[in-house]
Amino acid sequence: MDEFELIRRYFARQPDAPPVVTGIGDDGAVLALHANAETVIVIDTLVEGVHFPSGMRPADIGYRAVAVNLSDLAAMGARPHWMTLALTLHDADPDWVANFAEGLFEAAAEWNVQLVGGDTTRGGQCVVTVQMAGEVGTGRALLRSGARPGDTIFVTGTVGDAAAGLQLSVGATRDEFLESRFARPSARVATGLELGGIANAAIDLSDGLAADLCKLLQASGVGAEVDLDKVPLSDALLARHDREQALGFALAGGDDYELCFTVAASRIPGKGFDGATAIGRVTESGGLVCRAGGIVVPVDDSGYRHFR
Ligand code: ADP
Ligand code: MG
């Protein structure tokens, strides 16, 4: 049983009811607690040895713990406000904690997010959980479920860098750009805020483009055609890997924390979206069909799973 089956079976107990607008199944929960705005709550855990290698710089661990939550809020089109932090450590090393806190607050300061509480415990391995809350105009949250046939599919930035960077960071070769794409993801909060009322659906890319796009397609009950020749790959990634390997990182690697979103043709601005690339279109059905050089290429959509 993978974690999604566990969640479906044991935790997704009841249909959403007020004040829950959107519950389990999206990048964040949407709650109608006030008259003119909705609250969005997200949470993400980083486990040493699973989400980051032991020995990763503590400042980067702190930065990343915040950035991945900012990314989920970005995927919901929400403006970040405050966070809580649950921290499990094997020992109380003041230097480590000071550096961790520096990275954490550096990422939080970019969106003026305040730390308002948390929990600190001792345990066998380092585990960092950040919960974050944000706000979105009523009815304007970007959901995974809104994609419509005919929509264009966009992806921000470049994909595949983080997975390649992670691989390098545990080896002997250094590449500052690729490694920083893993250690310090740039959450696309500004793009998420711009897309409210424009995009039909959005998801952030944590498990790989193929797996995450499939989650969006499934939530929306649609299919998609993606042109792999259009998937944005960085020069740094292509300098180290051939196109096929680079696409492997992009489709199945994960950890990019870019946004994938779909927009109806009538809502796409003439000059497109700043920092985003059109990679395909939404279809009525048929799952995810990927083409390279016009030829259909089988793509594994399994992405990262914690349990198999
Ligand atoms: P993300 O990659 O954005 O974190 P996932 O697709 O992994 O989202 O998560 C699937 C959904 O399941 C999310 O809506 C998440 O909030 C929910 N979820 C995950 N674990 C639990 C849990 N233990 N209890 C309730 N909901 C959960
Ligand atoms: Mg997400």
Side-chain angles (χ1 to χ4, degrees):
M1 223 190 283
D2 66 23
E3 71 263 32
F4 302 110
E5 180 59 24
L6 285 178
I7 296 162
R8 247 189 319 271
R9 239 196 238 190
Y10 300 109
F11 298 116
R13 285 205 164 178
Q14 65 229 352
D16 302 338
V20 181
V21 179
T22 303
I24 294 173
D26 218 301
D27 291 299
V30 184
L31 309 175
L33 303 175
H34 312 290
N36 300 318
E38 287 167 345
T39 303
V40 181
I41 310 274
V42 301
I43 185 164
D44 244 317
T45 294
L46 305 185
V47 180
E48 175 182 11
V50 178
H51 298 96
F52 62 89
S54 300
M56 183 168 161
R57 277 201 298 255
D60 290 341
I61 299 169
Y63 190 99
R64 195 161 187 280
V66 170
V68 299
N69 279 281
L70 288 172
S71 175
D72 271 329
L73 285 181
M76 300 300 291
R79 182 176 293 282
H81 280 315
W82 55 257
M83 64 182 179
T84 57
L85 164 69
L87 189 56
T88 300
L89 301 169
H90 15 84
D91 46 43
D93 174 356
D95 279 348
W96 192 97
V97 180
N99 286 314
F100 171 84
E102 193 187 304
L104 180 101
F105 286 115
E106 187 182 337
E110 288 171 26
W111 288 94
N112 210 7
V113 174
Q114 275 196 68
L115 179 64
V116 297
D119 194 23
T120 305
T121 51
R122 182 203 285 250
Q125 76 203 119
C126 175
V127 181
V128 185
T129 299
V130 170
Q131 178 192 47
M132 202 176 277
E135 203 174 66
V136 64
T138 299
R140 288 173 73 90
L142 300 172
L143 304 182
R144 293 179 181 180
S145 55
R148 297 286 166 263
D151 284 3
T152 301
I153 302 167
F154 290 87
V155 62
T156 59
T158 55
V159 281
D161 300 329
L166 173 61
Q167 199 180 67
L168 287 173
S169 70
V170 293
T173 322
R174 297 273 76 88
D175 184 307
E176 208 179 311
F177 172 78
L178 293 177
E179 287 176 64
S180 78
R181 293 278 289 153
F182 175 79
R184 298 203 164 212
S186 17
R188 302 299 181 186
V189 178
T191 306
L193 290 172
E194 275 168 33
L195 291 175
I198 293 176
N200 280 338
I203 189 168
D204 70 323
L205 301 180
S206 52
D207 295 345
L209 177 60
D212 289 321
L213 176 55
C214 281
K215 288 184 202 169
L216 182 151
L217 299 176
Q218 209 170 15
S220 298
V222 294
E225 288 175 356
V226 166
D227 182 352
L228 296 180
D229 300 330
K230 294 196 174 140
V231 170
L233 304 170
S234 70
D235 292 343
L237 182 62
L238 290 171
R240 288 189 183 276
H241 299 280
D242 64 31
R243 210 181 154 79
E244 200 180 325
Q245 283 176 316
L247 276 173
F249 284 123
L251 293 168
D255 291 317
D256 284 312
Y257 296 99
E258 295 293 346
L259 291 185
C260 178
F261 57 95
T262 84
V263 188
S266 60
R267 293 195 162 263
I268 301 172
K271 55 172 184 43
F273 295 98
D274 235 13
T277 308
I279 59 165
R281 63 180 196 92
V282 176
T283 55
E284 293 272 350
S285 58
L288 173 61
V289 177
C290 293
R291 286 191 179 78
I295 294 162
V296 174
V297 184
V299 164
D300 178 7
D301 67 358
S302 56
Y304 189 85
R305 304 259 165 117
H306 284 271
F307 312 98
R308 293 207 181 245

